[in-house]
Amino acid sequence: MQIKHLIIFALVGMVALLGFNLIIGSQHEKNREAAISNATSKQEITDAAVSDTKESDSSSTSIANKPLGEQPKAILDDATAKIDQAQQADQARLAQMDDAAK
């Protein structure tokens, strides 16, 4: 009798997991649709990032023109500026996703 109970418990668990998966999947689809609807605003952020990349290319050539003693500081400053830009873009994306979720 214990084997029957174990089989029944396993089947009930599988059905519960399947139901949970279906519920989570439908919520994921809703989130995906919201993200797609915000694609235009993400495109604007991407365009801004591309322009920042072009600026960083020009700054890397300016780093090469500096004396060897100033290059490490210029490289660190450039990296810090890129990190700050990435964090700002990430915060903007999170704000947009929060606005879309509400």
Side-chain angles (χ1 to χ4, degrees), residues 54-68:
K54 291 177 183 175
E55 291 173 6
S56 67
D57 290 342
S58 65
S59 67
S60 64
T61 57
S62 67
I63 291 172
N65 294 334
K66 292 190 178 200
L68 288 176

Side-chain angles (χ1 to χ4, degrees), residues 32-78:
R32 183 181 296 167
E33 289 172 6
I36 289 172
S37 67
N38 290 332
T40 56
S41 59
K42 287 182 183 179
Q43 182 63 31
E44 293 170 358
I45 292 173
T46 305
D47 292 342
V50 168
S51 67
D52 291 341
T53 304
K54 291 177 183 175
E55 291 173 6
S56 67
D57 290 342
S58 65
S59 67
S60 64
T61 57
S62 67
I63 291 172
N65 294 334
K66 292 190 178 200
L68 288 176
E70 294 179 11
Q71 284 183 359
K73 182 180 182 320
I75 291 171
L76 286 175
D77 291 343
D78 185 45

